[in-house]
Amino acid sequence: MLKKFAGVRRLIAAGAVLLAAVSLQPLSTAQAAPSPVVGGTRAAQGEFPFMVRLSMGCGGTLYTQQIVLTAAHCVSGSGPNTSITATAGVVDLRSPSAITVRSTYVLQAPGYNGTGKDWALIKLAQPINLPTLNIATTTAYNTGTFTVAGWGAAREGGAQQRYLLKANVPYVSDAVCQQAYGSSLVPGEELCAGNVQNGGVDTCQGDSGGPMFRRDAAGAWIQVGIVSWGQGCARPGYPGVYTEVSTFAAQIASAASTL
């Protein structure tokens, strides 16, 4: 995904083909950064069965077996929509075992205007029989080390990935994150993660809408963030910014019940 410069979102160009190795336009010399995004390693088949790749070039998770949770900036408003294809069940997007299902409806976060509230739900034409990912309902898990995963670029300005990559990113406080982004950060609706001092680990172009997650008290995965934006990818001093899922948990649950 792209990050916003404060604002470039971590979304690849509209119209990108899901299974192609899509390259973004190169960034200018002043913007370019050689650091590999995520410092990622390849995820094992079945390691994160809730992961979904969306055909507009975003990530997502199975909130239920028929509803995908993603970022608001990945979609264009709310309403009937059969143009999105969700791919799941594989780490290799070219695998013949991939499950593909069309969308039927999109619900973008009410009041979304490009700042904060960066979540959306996509209803699928039929359920996908895979494990879902619970979301955090309190801020108790907004700390420690998180896992991020996606098929986005492995370096700033690079191509989308065929295989799912994963990495770990440490929590960054709002106060430290605001040193990088100032008033562009919306505390209470967004949280930050990454290696502030050295960079090198982050989400990037094409990862928008994917999850940031960690283990809960019982050892199960729980989603605490949605990949949203940031400055470049894995740059020192600029952590990734994520939708704070717990803030919107009740709204997400209510919206999902209407689909």
Side-chain angles (χ1 to χ4, degrees):
M1 339 163 189
L2 297 176
K3 309 177 175 184
K4 100 185 182 183
F5 156 68
V8 186
R9 298 287 177 180
R10 295 187 167 179
L11 169 68
I12 67 173
V17 179
L18 176 62
L19 300 185
V22 181
S23 294
L24 300 177
Q25 291 297 317
L27 301 176
S28 70
T29 302
Q31 292 175 308
S35 300
V37 154
V38 225
T41 58
R42 193 178 294 183
Q45 177 61 36
E47 187 173 5
F48 308 123
F50 44 76
M51 289 294 303
V52 175
R53 179 67 167 169
L54 299 170
S55 55
M56 82 288 278
C58 281
T61 53
L62 290 174
Y63 177 74
T64 72
Q65 291 188 329
Q66 201 168 354
I67 297 175
V68 174
L69 176 62
T70 188
H73 74 267
C74 288
V75 301
S76 300
S78 299
N81 186 323
T82 60
S83 69
I84 301 168
T85 300
T87 300
V90 294
V91 295
D92 177 2
L93 293 178
R94 299 182 188 174
S95 169
S97 301
I99 301 167
T100 58
V101 182
R102 285 280 182 175
S103 61
T104 60
Y105 195 92
V106 170
L107 194 157
Q108 190 179 57
Y112 174 72
N113 63 2
T115 301
K117 299 177 178 62
D118 196 8
W119 63 268
L121 298 175
I122 299 173
K123 185 174 183 179
L124 304 177
Q126 60 193 51
I128 295 176
N129 188 23
L130 288 170
T132 59
L133 179 61
N134 290 331
I135 65 173
T137 57
T138 75
T139 59
Y141 297 110
N142 292 0
T143 186
T145 298
F146 307 109
T147 298
V148 289
W151 289 271
R155 62 179 177 82
E156 187 170 322
Q160 302 299 288
Q161 300 297 297
R162 171 179 172 177
Y163 297 96
L164 181 66
L165 298 181
K166 64 177 181 177
N168 293 326
V169 288
Y171 169 77
V172 174
S173 70
D174 287 347
V176 171
C177 201
Q178 284 180 308
Q179 293 176 16
Y181 297 119
S183 61
S184 294
L185 184 73
V186 185
E189 294 189 5
E190 298 174 325
L191 69 158
C192 302
N195 188 325
V196 176
Q197 183 172 358
N198 300 316
V201 181
D202 201 358
T203 48
C204 199
Q205 297 101 326
D207 290 324
S208 279
M212 180 172 74
F213 49 103
R214 52 160 289 176
R215 298 289 186 179
D216 66 12
W221 290 121
I222 190 166
Q223 184 171 354
V224 296
I226 300 170
V227 180
S228 186
W229 62 277
Q231 176 60 32
C233 299
R235 298 184 188 184
Y238 293 96
V241 182
Y242 301 79
T243 303
E244 189 170 310
V245 169
S246 62
T247 299
F248 303 103
Q251 293 179 48
I252 291 170
S254 178
S257 70
T258 69
L259 296 181

